[in-house]
Amino acid sequence: MLLTLHIIKIESGDYRAHVMEGAQHLGDYETTSIADAIRLAAENPLPDLAGFHLWYEHVSVGSVTAGDMRSDSDALARRLVELHALFKN
């Protein structure tokens, strides 16, 4: 199973993460960083969870395994911020 993690910046140091399965909203939570949001989502105990479609605002790094999200959350967060800067609205 692949879920969607969509992270939105409220303000510096304040991020809201939404977890979705298709159009169904499964929950949300607040964190102090993009990397923390990625790590927290990957800790989900769902037995069939393979990973997430990973979004920050309007950009995505694609589909990422839960293991990569746990071990490389800082690198994934950096990549999302880099993409966001390239594709500002």
Side-chain angles (χ1 to χ4, degrees):
M1 165 192 334
L2 283 171
L3 300 177
T4 298
L5 175 64
H6 189 189
I7 304 163
I8 298 169
K9 181 178 180 179
I10 305 302
E11 61 183 37
S12 183
D14 187 10
Y15 297 85
R16 183 167 296 128
H18 302 274
V19 178
M20 308 286 293
E21 182 176 14
Q24 183 180 2
H25 184 261
L26 299 179
D28 57 51
Y29 53 94
E30 293 189 18
T31 66
T32 58
S33 73
I34 296 168
D36 283 346
I38 294 168
R39 266 191 300 278
L40 285 171
E43 293 175 356
N44 196 318
L46 295 173
D48 294 336
L49 181 63
F52 287 83
H53 305 291
L54 191 52
W55 287 84
Y56 171 56
E57 299 282 348
H58 58 276
V59 297
S60 173
V61 292
S63 301
V64 180
T65 67
D68 285 345
M69 290 170 66
R70 285 189 293 272
S71 65
D72 294 332
S73 60
D74 291 324
L76 289 166
R78 278 192 303 274
R79 182 67 182 138
L80 284 165
V81 170
E82 290 167 359
L83 286 170
H84 187 267
L86 286 174
F87 297 102
K88 284 195 174 212
N89 293 14

